[in-house]
Amino acid sequence: MTASAPVSARSSKPLRLYGVAAHLPQAVRQGSLPARDERGFFRHGPSLVSSLTQWGGGDVRPSVVLAADDVEVPGLVSPEGVLLAVQCVPALCDRAYGAWHGQALRDIAAEKLAALLQDTDFAPPGGESARQFQARIGAWAEGADLHGTALFLARPAVVRAMAVHVLGGDSALTQKLDCAPGTLSLFTRQGGDWRLRMMGAPLGGEN
């Protein structure tokens, strides 16, 4: 299963893109939409990249590490102990909920909550619809100048949206995909064609 786009000099470069799903803030796990100032986190800390190299006996050495603005990224080090530069990428943030940021789901009217969860074109006041969020992640995937091996750190919804883009689906497909926090996914691109190689594989010591 692949998603194809017009092949440009940028998208024709071979790419192995690893995505690590962050753990969600406590309030989100207790049934609230994320507050604007809440950030996801990673339990592995600085040893995260070394943990990736040990996954399945593989050797993952990213030349580029990207992180969403809404996740807390510790100082990452390479297996050799070298501090890695992390590039912050606003486009990799979770869906924007506008005026509903921080709202407990139980406090949202039933019909509005159903629209939020089921209507891909519904957007909270000042926020994004599921379709707009999916389009943002897809636009980033096609526009990012990446090649070789790269790693991005983001919330689970972003990893799912990346998988939907790779599979050529729409935002409704997101509800059929599962990506737990603390898991690793792998997307590859060759000649402009994307493939989903792996999704939601638990990292050692995470689950």
Side-chain angles (χ1 to χ4, degrees):
M1 292 179 284
T2 64
S4 297
V7 179
S8 65
R10 174 180 294 174
S11 65
S12 65
K13 300 174 182 177
L15 172 66
R16 292 176 65 83
L17 179 62
Y18 290 87
V20 177
H23 291 273
L24 296 171
Q26 182 67 26
V28 176
R29 288 176 281 162
Q30 293 177 344
S32 294
L33 295 174
R36 292 184 188 278
D37 59 350
E38 287 182 318
R39 306 181 79 184
F41 62 94
F42 301 91
R43 289 179 178 162
H44 276 293
S47 65
L48 175 61
V49 175
S50 294
S51 300
L52 299 185
T53 67
Q54 297 167 5
W55 190 92
D59 185 8
V60 181
R61 296 173 185 268
S63 57
V64 178
V65 180
L66 311 170
D69 285 353
D70 57 2
V71 297
E72 187 70 40
V73 181
L76 300 179
V77 297
S78 71
E80 297 79 21
V82 178
L83 185 65
L84 298 174
V86 178
Q87 301 177 23
C88 291
V89 181
L92 289 175
C93 285
D94 202 348
R95 180 178 172 183
Y97 291 101
W100 289 10
H101 275 291
Q103 284 248 41
L105 297 180
R106 65 176 178 275
D107 294 334
I108 299 175
E111 66 276 9
K112 292 185 177 180
L113 181 58
L116 178 71
L117 299 177
Q118 300 170 17
D119 183 350
T120 58
D121 289 315
F122 174 84
E128 289 179 301
S129 68
R131 193 183 305 278
Q132 289 170 326
F133 169 58
Q134 179 63 51
R136 167 161 59 86
I137 300 304
W140 172 81
E142 296 305 323
D145 188 8
L146 299 173
H147 59 90
T149 299
L151 167 68
F152 74 90
L153 310 172
R155 293 186 182 180
V158 176
V159 180
R160 289 197 303 271
M162 182 65 194
V164 169
H165 175 73
V166 168
L167 294 172
D170 59 25
S171 53
L173 179 60
T174 304
Q175 298 182 12
K176 299 182 182 295
L177 299 176
D178 189 24
C179 180
T183 59
L184 176 67
S185 299
L186 172 60
F187 314 96
T188 62
R189 187 186 62 207
Q190 181 74 40
D193 290 334
W194 285 100
R195 289 185 180 273
L196 175 60
R197 296 291 185 182
M198 175 177 67
M199 186 170 183
L203 290 169
E206 283 278 4
N207 295 309

